[in-house]
Amino acid sequence: MTSRPSLARKLGLADAVFIGLGSMIGAGVFAAFTPAAHAAGNGLLVGLAVAAVVAVCNALASAQLAAVYPESGGTYVYGRRVLTPWWGFFAGWSFVIGKTASCAAMALTFAFYAAPTGWERPVAVAAVVGLAAVNYRGVTRTAALTRAIVVVVLIALAAAVAAGGSVIGGPAGFAQQADPGGLLAGGGYGILQSAGLLFFAFAGYARIATMGEEVRNPERTIPRAIVIALAVTVVVYALVAVTLLGVLGPDGVASSAAPLADTVRASGWDWAAPLVRLGAAAASLGALLALIAGIGRTTLAMAREGDLPRWLASVHPKFAVPHRAEVVLAVVVSLLVLTVDLRGAIGFSSFGVLLYYFVANVAAFRQPAAERRYPRALQLLGAASCVILVVTLPPVGVAVGTGVLVLGAAYRIASVRRAARS
């Protein structure tokens, strides 16, 4: 029996951390606060805290699993190995479909900031093709470009926070403009919905786990990279949320298409506005780059098991990447970009990702004592939180996501039956 082709282990701790940061500190930080403020008002701070707690539980579950199963595919692999193939399939299917929509959304977001009026869709397609080409050439090039993008984004966010801080003028100014005493004014449902929407921006640590087959010393590197990347992201998002509410107030954030840019303009730091625009464009590219890499690896894992067409499991003999999966992904995302406006797909993406992490928590809970790193209570909290946030998401996203799961189940049933007859 010949061994299947494997990916090359070329990524160190810093590479893995930056890939996680590029996935989390992406376009979500420029886009997710507006719908969250619309849902919860000042309560988005509570929603952000809830989203962070859920993210921590999910990240630790992923880290515990990845240390034992350092293969491409992330929770798809964990679900199959620890639970059953059906659990793995639903995790992988939710991830691939939800994140494919997110790819189109990130490409269009990039074009919104970077393209001349009327050229948004062609520029978005060019971004998809260009970043797919970077991924095609090897994972080290992906990691190097991600580092550069993350640095640009962090500089832009630092400028926006500094600009907003100059207007807030300390806790008194914040209290006057953002009324933090009304944190629960949005109600429990609104706060939970904002948490589900903000979770969209945290979910990038999955990309570290899905690339487990390309990380050196994965048993040690992957858990550390997930924890470090998530910790940095929580701090950055908290600073951004407080700044936005302090300058614009909840109504201003909820009504703004570009709240960070509006914060800079309100501060009088007009020179920083182009920097924030550059940061938003770079963040979109960073998220898109990491998404293409993560979806390609999950598709590879599913194709290896026959849950997707097996010819997608091909690994390039020179560049050691799932090249067919990435080419197909680039084509599908380009078609979506040209035909559908997916910038409002946060709810659908969150639906898929929350189900993905629900499976991760259940799988981590089932691991034997010898494989455990964290208390089972964290996995119970993580799984329950995922379910609660799913049911509070916007109904359209839940309905579309449910339909996608049904279609996926029908495909797998037909595939299993074909295999049984052959």
Side-chain angles (χ1 to χ4, degrees):
M1 180 177 177
T2 59
S3 61
R4 67 188 185 188
S6 300
L7 305 179
R9 296 195 181 278
K10 298 181 179 180
L11 302 178
L13 176 62
D15 296 320
V17 169
F18 271 96
I19 286 173
L21 290 175
S23 303
M24 286 185 279
I25 307 179
V29 73
F30 294 89
F33 285 105
T34 292
H38 181 76
N42 274 338
L44 79 82
L45 290 177
V46 181
L48 180 65
V50 172
V53 170
V54 177
V56 167
C57 293
N58 294 344
L60 294 179
S62 296
Q64 179 174 288
L65 289 158
V68 180
Y69 305 103
E71 304 172 32
S72 289
T75 299
Y76 170 72
V77 172
Y78 314 150
R80 287 186 64 92
R81 296 292 185 86
V82 183
L83 302 171
T84 69
W86 270 108
W87 282 86
F89 176 80
F90 278 121
W93 185 251
S94 297
F95 182 86
V96 168
I97 300 301
K99 290 306 183 181
T100 297
S102 292
C103 281
M106 293 303 98
L108 288 166
T109 302
F110 164 74
F112 174 77
Y113 284 101
T117 303
W119 286 84
E120 288 86 353
R121 293 184 189 275
V123 169
V125 171
V128 172
V129 173
L131 294 185
V134 171
N135 271 303
Y136 194 98
R137 296 281 295 180
V139 71
T140 53
R141 287 176 172 82
T142 299
L145 182 55
T146 300
R147 283 177 185 247
I149 290 172
V150 168
V151 170
V152 172
V153 174
L154 289 177
I155 291 173
L157 291 177
V161 169
S166 70
V167 177
I168 293 173
F174 179 83
Q176 180 180 356
Q177 297 185 51
D179 184 23
L183 291 178
L184 302 179
Y189 182 86
I191 288 171
L192 289 175
Q193 187 174 100
S194 73
L197 295 168
L198 288 167
F199 184 79
F200 164 83
F202 278 112
Y205 49 81
R207 237 69 75 233
I208 302 173
T210 58
M211 301 181 76
E213 200 171 313
E214 296 161 280
V215 175
R216 297 191 298 270
N217 190 15
E219 295 81 1
R220 175 177 173 83
T221 299
I222 294 176
R224 291 176 64 196
I226 289 175
V227 171
I228 293 171
L230 182 59
V232 173
T233 301
V234 169
V235 172
V236 171
Y237 280 10
L239 289 172
V240 170
V242 170
T243 302
L244 293 178
L245 287 175
V247 175
L248 302 178
D251 293 338
V253 178
S255 62
S256 173
L260 278 163
D262 288 343
T263 295
V264 171
R265 281 191 287 269
S267 72
W269 288 28
D270 294 337
W271 61 268
L275 180 58
V276 172
R277 193 175 185 88
L278 174 63
S284 303
L285 287 181
L288 178 58
L289 180 65
L291 281 168
I292 291 172
I295 297 169
R297 274 66 182 175
T298 302
T299 300
L300 169 71
M302 295 182 73
R304 282 172 169 172
E305 301 293 343
D307 283 336
L308 288 176
R310 290 188 181 275
W311 61 271
L312 291 172
S314 175
V315 174
H316 196 282
K318 178 179 180 181
F319 301 125
V321 296
H323 59 118
R324 289 179 182 171
E326 292 186 350
V327 169
V328 170
L329 175 64
V331 172
V332 172
V333 173
S334 296
L335 291 174
L336 290 174
V337 164
L338 291 172
T339 57
V340 184
D341 185 354
L342 293 174
R343 283 175 288 184
I346 291 176
F348 171 73
S349 179
S350 293
F351 176 88
V353 174
L354 284 165
L355 289 182
Y356 178 86
Y357 285 117
F358 173 78
V359 176
N361 279 289
V362 174
F365 182 83
R366 292 285 301 275
Q367 283 184 280
E371 298 177 0
R372 303 196 59 77
R373 291 169 175 253
Y374 310 107
R376 276 194 165 95
L378 289 177
Q379 284 105 56
L380 288 174
L381 176 60
S385 299
C386 287
V387 173
I388 292 171
L389 294 187
V390 162
V391 300
T392 59
L393 287 171
V396 173
V398 175
V400 174
T402 302
V404 167
L405 288 180
V406 171
L407 289 175
Y411 170 85
R412 188 172 192 274
I413 290 171
S415 178
V416 170
R417 287 178 178 173
R418 283 195 303 271
R421 288 195 298 265
S422 61

